Amino acid sequence: MNIASPATGMETKGASLSSPAASTPIGVALGLPSVGAGGLPEALPILALGAWFKHAACLLEDGRAQFGPNLGDLDNADACRAVEPAALALLARAATPVRAIAHDLHPDFHSTRVACALAARLGVPAIGVQHHHAHVGAVLAEHGRFDARPVLGLALDGVGLGTDGEAWGGELLWVAGGEFVRLGHLRPLRLPGGDRAAREPWRMAAALLHASGRGDEIARRFPGQPAAALLAQVLARPALSPPSSSLGRHFDAAAGLLGLCEVMHNEAEAAIALERLASGTAAPEVTPGDWRICDAGGALRGQADGARSRTDRGAPAAGSVPQPDDRAHPYAGAQPPGGTLELDLHPLLLRLADEPEPARGAARFQATLAAALVAWVEEARQRTGCATVVLSGGCLHNRLLADALHAALPARGFEVLGARRLSPGDAGLALGQAWVAMHRLAATKED
């Protein structure tokens, strides 16, 4: 599967509905607190080259982050040709020579290739950073959190290459500086037709129906789609329908099931239509049975080289009491125990498949999604002791979702950090890459 090109779910260009976060201040310096003592200052400056969407490089120095121009998506020759000159312009502004160049884990991104070539020419390390780890790091950097104290990271977007080689996008992470553990993820949906499913919400709706044993409904529900009659055969072939934990694709499935959008002609069109309809409708009462949280096995740990390891250590008892002080919990200063918390939203999507009123279905989806995410984070706090939550990823452009999480989580005793001046999506990603790389480089020097 080529995950370089699917749309990022809720990251919009000029959408009328957006989160309270401002857009990334491109081309100007973002003032930050000092990184503090220890080995972090010696690891700076670091240049980071972002990813594929909303590409903007970032130079992180002690006390400021300098962004380059937003070149847009790297899906055309003009944008790709501009990547290296923009990176060189940032290098020329650095007060001292850079110590490393950070990039996305995806090896086929043009930004990754430029980063590796520049690092080789300069004789400095090229440091790959997992996409969602970088999303969390960007918010922490913006808030001046340069220490490695563990936090929970809720990274919600359309796609990012995971350390297991699959498409991630609905992630619950434990983050401690340059390390992370994938505590949980959304139950995957298949992408029938690969990248094409990211542009055609009816395919995501069909994937949900097929996974629920209702594949015989696909052709009847989507008679205007020539491929509908044969899509069940595509879904039966894993090579043609890779899995993804993307929340953006769940938004698409919901819009497809409610008949709001079958094929997108504009970025995030389906998700925006869903949000607009829900914003004018009173949400029905949330039903806890519309989602499930289950332990899906060993935790997948993120490492500097993208290697994988698993743990079979037991988790704390299910009835353990959350600790309001992160430092008071036995796992707060070390990697958490095993067990991957899978959040299953398939029951919610199935309910939408039988909903005769699209507006009520849209409102139900928004309200239930927020409640399920809060319950998921609560479970993670019980396991880890972390009471600080970082909200990140392009889906946080959805105002209804962002507002619901920013209201519900503090009410349950969480400290919540979200994007403020930066975009929660990929436009600010390079700052997070630099933040992670700084921690990894500092740890290497200490060793």
Side-chain angles (χ1 to χ4, degrees):
M1 173 192 176
N2 171 20
I3 67 166
S5 57
T8 53
M10 292 298 302
E11 180 142 7
T12 64
K13 295 179 180 177
S16 59
L17 297 176
S18 61
S19 75
S23 59
T24 306
I26 298 300
V28 300
L30 180 66
L32 298 171
S34 171
V35 299
L40 295 181
E42 289 73 29
L44 295 175
I46 288 177
L47 177 68
L49 263 66
W52 177 276
F53 297 101
K54 313 293 186 297
H55 175 83
C58 178
L59 176 71
L60 177 61
E61 299 178 288
D62 194 6
R64 74 168 189 166
Q66 177 79 31
F67 283 90
N70 191 321
L71 303 178
D73 301 343
L74 300 184
D75 58 357
N76 63 87
D78 288 341
C80 289
R81 279 193 290 266
V83 171
E84 184 172 350
L88 293 174
L90 284 176
L91 286 174
R93 297 175 192 160
T96 58
V98 295
R99 306 301 176 88
I101 298 181
H103 58 85
D104 192 87
L105 283 185
H106 201 302
D108 293 331
F109 285 175
H110 183 71
S111 54
T112 297
R113 296 191 182 108
V114 171
C116 292
L118 277 177
R121 279 159 49 188
L122 296 173
V124 299
I127 300 177
V129 179
Q130 198 280 322
H131 190 89
H132 301 96
H133 190 187
H135 270 311
V136 175
V139 175
L140 288 168
E142 186 184 2
H143 284 264
R145 301 291 184 97
F146 291 106
D147 59 83
R149 185 176 173 184
V151 300
L152 297 175
L154 201 55
L156 310 170
D157 65 3
V159 70
L161 181 66
T163 54
D164 58 357
E166 294 188 349
W168 293 6
E171 311 304 316
L172 181 54
L173 307 180
W174 175 94
V175 173
E179 300 180 60
F180 81 94
V181 173
R182 192 189 192 194
L183 291 178
H185 56 79
L186 296 186
R187 179 183 174 185
L189 280 170
R190 291 204 167 272
L191 304 173
D195 292 351
R196 190 165 184 175
R199 302 184 295 273
E200 300 183 8
W202 77 271
R203 290 176 179 261
M204 298 311 305
L208 183 280
L209 293 170
H210 185 268
S212 305
R214 295 170 59 172
D216 57 348
E217 299 179 22
I218 296 173
R220 174 176 56 81
R221 282 177 173 267
F222 304 106
Q225 301 301 327
L230 299 177
L231 203 69
Q233 298 178 34
V234 175
L235 283 160
R237 300 176 62 182
L240 299 178
S241 303
S244 174
S245 60
S246 165
L247 180 60
R249 301 292 77 77
H250 279 68
F251 271 93
D252 293 345
L257 290 166
L258 292 171
L260 302 182
C261 179
E262 293 188 4
V263 177
M264 288 191 286
H265 302 286
N266 298 297
E267 187 179 7
E269 180 180 344
I272 293 172
L274 192 73
E275 182 187 0
R276 282 179 175 154
L277 193 58
S279 65
T281 307
E285 184 176 352
V286 170
T287 304
D290 282 348
W291 74 84
R292 293 185 293 258
I293 298 174
C294 58
D295 194 319
L300 184 61
R301 300 183 178 278
Q303 302 181 11
D305 59 359
R308 289 171 286 171
S309 63
R310 289 192 178 272
T311 177
D312 56 5
R313 288 181 290 161
S320 59
V321 178
Q323 302 292 324
D325 184 349
D326 292 351
R327 294 165 295 184
H329 194 278
Y331 299 108
Q335 288 191 338
T340 303
L341 297 169
E342 183 177 83
L343 176 58
D344 182 1
L345 297 175
H346 288 203
L348 170 60
L349 293 174
L350 267 182
R351 175 173 278 215
L352 302 187
D354 299 321
E355 173 57 65
E357 298 182 22
R360 184 172 64 183
R364 182 183 298 279
F365 178 80
Q366 290 277 174
T368 305
L369 172 61
L373 292 173
V374 170
W376 200 27
V377 172
E378 286 269 22
E379 180 67 27
R381 174 167 63 179
Q382 294 216 10
R383 295 192 174 207
T384 65
C386 289
T388 299
V389 183
V390 175
L391 303 179
S392 62
C395 288
L396 272 302
H397 279 295
N398 181 303
R399 184 181 295 275
L400 294 180
L401 178 60
D403 287 351
L405 294 176
H406 277 283
L409 288 168
R412 289 161 175 77
F414 287 97
E415 177 188 22
V416 180
L417 305 178
R420 296 184 297 193
R421 293 166 290 176
L422 298 180
S423 162
D426 284 6
L429 187 75
L431 176 58
Q433 292 174 340
W435 184 91
V436 172
M438 173 187 67
H439 281 280
R440 287 190 178 154
L441 199 60
T444 301
K445 291 180 182 296
E446 289 176 4
D447 293 342

